[in-house]
C-alpha cells in the first residue's frame, strides 16, 4: 500500500465585504447611497461614486477609504471637508452617525457593515 503525504493548509480568508450607507441631504439630490467599492469618491463630477449636486462642492471633493476602518480624506477642495463641524486636514476616521459637510451639503454615515466573505478555505499543496 502506497501512501503519499498531502499537507493541508489554510488559505487566507476572502477580502472583507464592506458596505457603507450614506444619507446625502441638505442640498439638491437628497437621498441614500451605498458604497461597496473603495476608494469611493464624493463630488460634483459624474465619475464620482457619490454625486453631490451642490455648486459649493468641488468636482472631486473627498474620498472614502477602507483599511480595516472607514476614513475620509479631502481631495484639495476649495471649501474643505468637515466632519461633525470640524475642518479636516488629513485622513479622518469615521463612525456611524458622523456627518460630513461638502460645500453646503451634509452627508451622514448611516451604517458601516464590515463582514467577511467565506471563512478560511482548505486546500492541498501538490508535491512536486
Amino acid at each position: 500500500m502506497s501512501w503519499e503525504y498531502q499537507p493541508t493548509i489554510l488559505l487566507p480568508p476572502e477580502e472583507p465585504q464592506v458596505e457603507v450607507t450614506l444619507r446625502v441631504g441638505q442640498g439638491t439630490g437628497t437621498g441614500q447611497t451605498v458604497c461597496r467599492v473603495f476608494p469611493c469618491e464624493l463630488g460634483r463630477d459624474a465619475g464620482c461614486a457619490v454625486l453631490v449636486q451642490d455648486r459649493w462642492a468641488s468636482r472631486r471633493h473627498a474620498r472614502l477609504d477602507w483599511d480595516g476602518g472607514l476614513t475620509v480624506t479631502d481631495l484639495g477642495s476649495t471649501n474643505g471637508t468637515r466632519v461633525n463641524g470640524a475642518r479636516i486636514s488629513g485622513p479622518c476616521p469615521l463612525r456611524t452617525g458622523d456627518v460630513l459637510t461638502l460645500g453646503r451639503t451634509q452627508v451622514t454615515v448611516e451604517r458601516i457593515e464590515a463582514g467577511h466573505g467565506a471563512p478560511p478555505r482548505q486546500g492541498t499543496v501538490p508535491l512536486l
Side-chain angles (χ1 to χ4, degrees):
M1 179 166 153
S2 157
W3 183 79
E4 185 177 326
Y5 176 70
Q6 290 285 338
T8 299
I9 62 166
L10 289 178
L11 300 173
E14 294 178 12
E15 290 296 313
Q17 302 298 312
V18 178
E19 234 180 54
V20 175
T21 305
L22 304 171
R23 169 76 56 191
V24 180
Q26 290 194 346
T28 56
T30 299
Q32 189 178 63
T33 188
V34 176
C35 295
R36 292 184 181 99
V37 177
F38 297 90
C40 175
E41 290 190 356
L42 299 88
R44 288 186 295 123
D45 190 89
C48 288
V50 179
L51 190 59
V52 178
Q53 296 176 351
D54 177 343
R55 67 185 181 119
W56 300 102
S58 293
R59 288 185 192 134
R60 292 179 57 244
H61 197 103
R63 181 183 67 234
L64 298 178
D65 290 295
W66 182 267
D67 188 20
L70 185 65
T71 60
V72 62
T73 304
D74 183 76
L75 296 176
S77 65
T78 303
N79 294 311
T81 299
R82 295 180 181 275
V83 175
N84 300 324
R87 191 169 179 151
I88 63 170
S89 60
C92 179
L94 294 174
R95 297 181 303 219
T96 300
D98 284 345
V99 178
L100 309 175
T101 304
L102 313 175
R104 293 186 177 168
T105 300
Q106 289 190 340
V107 178
T108 303
V109 180
E110 288 194 330
R111 184 174 64 95
I112 301 171
E113 187 173 314
H116 287 277
R121 303 164 286 151
Q122 287 191 355
T124 57
V125 177
L127 296 176
L128 299 177

